[in-house]
């Protein structure tokens, strides 16, 4: 039977294990997660395994990145199941701190990335990226990994993380890993479990509509028309609302009106209370 990774819950235990690994000449890799692990997370472990000898998975449902009325209390938590899922992987340590360890009494420092954090997801989830940037900075400082991996599914999150890691000169390489998709192309997400059977069927149309937008833009359709058409198609497919569908510069996330730079389409569509995120690269034709 596969061995589950060991679990540490304090910064000092984590640092002792990291120091041991470094002493043995190992490169340390970190996979930050909020648990509720699915094959998307396991693919992150897989992706980092080519670049690290000791892989740590952090599991922490970070309260500061959830807004009022969001699903912090309901967010799926099952550490036993997460450890079982990690057993056959290359992860050898889980860091699962308590909220007190992460945000001890008197904690008053926030990491905030201007501009990147204010558009798209930032405009819909006020303070969300400050919460993400703060907890990821803490995780990187606590663990001091050589490399950390984040999924491209949260593309804006990845851009925010790359920015503060550069600005703060944190000596960790940030690696992006491709989106993992279900059979019908729906991007894997811990929140997909909230979808009813009917909503789950509709959800599979998001990537279909975005692929069509990518093809349209590549074959010369004006970007504004393609964005509008994609929003209309999502509503016609049964989505309850479209928060945004925007073609942006893939490095700066500034909206594009022509394909003048490597581009990405970012989108969020809603089914009931569930916001489904997706994004795709648009390579220049
Ligand atoms: O992407 C996530 O699961 C979270 O935002 C992260 C990066 C683990 C920070 O809490």
């Amino acid at each position: 039977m596969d061995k589950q990774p060991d679990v540490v819950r304090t910064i000092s235990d984590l640092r002792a294990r990291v120091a041991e690994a470094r002493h043995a000449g190992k490169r340390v890799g970190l996979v930050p997660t909020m648990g509720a692990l699915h094959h998307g997370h396991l693919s992150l472990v897989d992706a980092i395994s080519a670049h690290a000898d000791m892989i740590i998975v952090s599991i922490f449902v970070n309260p500061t990145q959830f807004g009022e009325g969001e699903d912090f209390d309901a967010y799926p938590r099952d550490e036993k199941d997460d450890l079982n899922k990690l057993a056959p992987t290359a992860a050898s340590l889980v860091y699962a701190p308590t909220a007190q360890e992460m945000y001890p009494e008197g904690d008053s420092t926030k990491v905030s990335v201007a501009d990147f954090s204010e558009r798209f997801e930032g405009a819909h989830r006020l303070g969300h990226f400050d919460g993400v940037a703060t907890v990821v900075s803490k995780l990187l400082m606590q663990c001091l990994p050589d490399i950390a991996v984040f999924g491209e599914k949260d593309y804006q999150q990845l851009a925010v993380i790359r920015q503060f890691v550069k600005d703060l000169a944190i000596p960790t390489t940030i690696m992006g890993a491709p989106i993992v998709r279900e059979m019908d192309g729906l991007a894997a997400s811990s929140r997909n479990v909230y979808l009813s059977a009917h909503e789950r069927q509709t959800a599979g149309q998001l990537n279909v509509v975005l692929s069509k937008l990518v093809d349209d833009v590549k074959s010369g359709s004006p970007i504004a028309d393609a964005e509008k058409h994609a929003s209309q198609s999502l509503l016609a497919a049964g989505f309850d609302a479209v928060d945004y569908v925007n073609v942006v510069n893939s490095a700066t996330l500034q909206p594009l009106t022509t394909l003048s730079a490597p581009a990405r389409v970012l989108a969020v569509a809603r089914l009931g209370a569930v916001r489904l995120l997706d994004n795709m690269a648009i390579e220049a034709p």
Side-chain angles (χ1 to χ4, degrees):
M1 215 171 100
D2 295 311
K3 184 183 174 307
Q4 288 185 350
D6 295 341
V7 181
V8 291
R9 300 192 190 277
T10 64
I11 298 167
S12 60
D13 286 348
L14 171 68
R15 288 212 171 132
R17 294 293 292 263
V18 170
E20 218 175 87
R22 285 206 191 294
H23 192 69
K26 294 185 177 171
R27 264 175 72 78
V28 176
L30 177 67
V31 184
T33 80
M34 297 205 300
L37 301 182
H38 50 68
H39 52 297
H41 296 109
L42 304 184
S43 80
L44 298 181
V45 176
D46 209 38
I48 208 172
S49 65
H51 306 272
D53 313 298
M54 181 210 199
I55 299 172
I56 303 169
V57 174
S58 66
I59 298 179
F60 180 65
V61 185
N62 174 36
T64 64
Q65 69 186 78
F66 290 77
E68 232 172 89
E70 289 187 357
D71 56 343
F72 175 68
D73 290 330
Y75 198 83
R77 291 165 174 86
D78 189 343
E79 188 178 291
K80 236 168 107 184
D81 187 54
D82 289 341
L83 293 176
N84 281 333
K85 287 187 175 141
L86 289 172
T89 73
S92 57
L93 190 68
V94 162
Y95 173 46
T98 59
Q100 175 61 22
E101 187 74 1
M102 194 57 87
Y103 295 106
E105 220 169 294
D107 180 272
S108 54
T109 300
K110 237 190 213 175
V111 178
S112 184
V113 180
D115 188 42
F116 271 118
S117 299
E118 286 148 18
R119 283 176 277 135
F120 306 114
E121 279 310 273
H124 285 270
R125 303 181 68 190
L126 295 182
H128 169 68
F129 286 121
D130 290 356
V132 170
T134 303
V135 81
V136 174
S137 313
K138 282 174 178 269
L139 286 166
L140 295 178
M141 298 301 182
Q142 291 166 359
C143 179
L144 295 173
D146 297 287
I147 185 164
V149 66
F150 298 86
E152 285 182 348
K153 165 155 178 292
D154 295 301
Y155 195 80
Q156 192 178 0
Q157 166 173 284
L158 181 59
V160 166
I161 292 168
R162 285 194 197 285
Q163 186 68 42
F164 77 74
V165 164
K166 179 168 155 248
D167 293 346
L168 299 177
I170 296 175
T172 297
T173 301
I174 301 300
M175 176 183 171
I179 297 177
V180 170
R181 296 184 180 278
E182 309 294 348
M183 294 283 278
D184 61 352
L186 175 67
S189 164
S190 302
R191 288 187 170 105
N192 290 349
V193 296
Y194 296 152
L195 297 169
S196 68
H198 179 66
E199 287 170 340
R200 175 62 191 81
Q201 222 177 345
T202 306
Q205 286 305 302
L206 177 54
N207 74 97
V208 175
V209 170
L210 293 191
S211 300
K212 167 95 174 56
L213 177 149
V214 170
D215 290 345
D216 288 350
V217 170
K218 275 167 69 171
S219 55
S221 291
I223 286 177
D225 292 355
E227 290 170 343
K228 195 164 154 211
H229 181 70
S231 289
Q232 287 167 344
S233 303
L234 289 169
L235 294 173
F239 284 87
D240 296 312
V242 178
D243 285 356
Y244 54 86
V245 177
N246 279 106
V247 175
V248 300
N249 177 310
S250 57
T252 64
L253 305 195
Q254 289 293 346
L256 290 174
T257 48
T258 58
L259 260 196
S260 52
R264 197 108 193 164
V265 55
L266 307 180
V268 170
R270 293 182 192 237
L271 279 170
V274 185
R275 299 179 71 246
L276 293 170
L277 278 80
D278 205 341
N279 66 83
M280 282 179 197
I282 310 178
E283 279 119 34

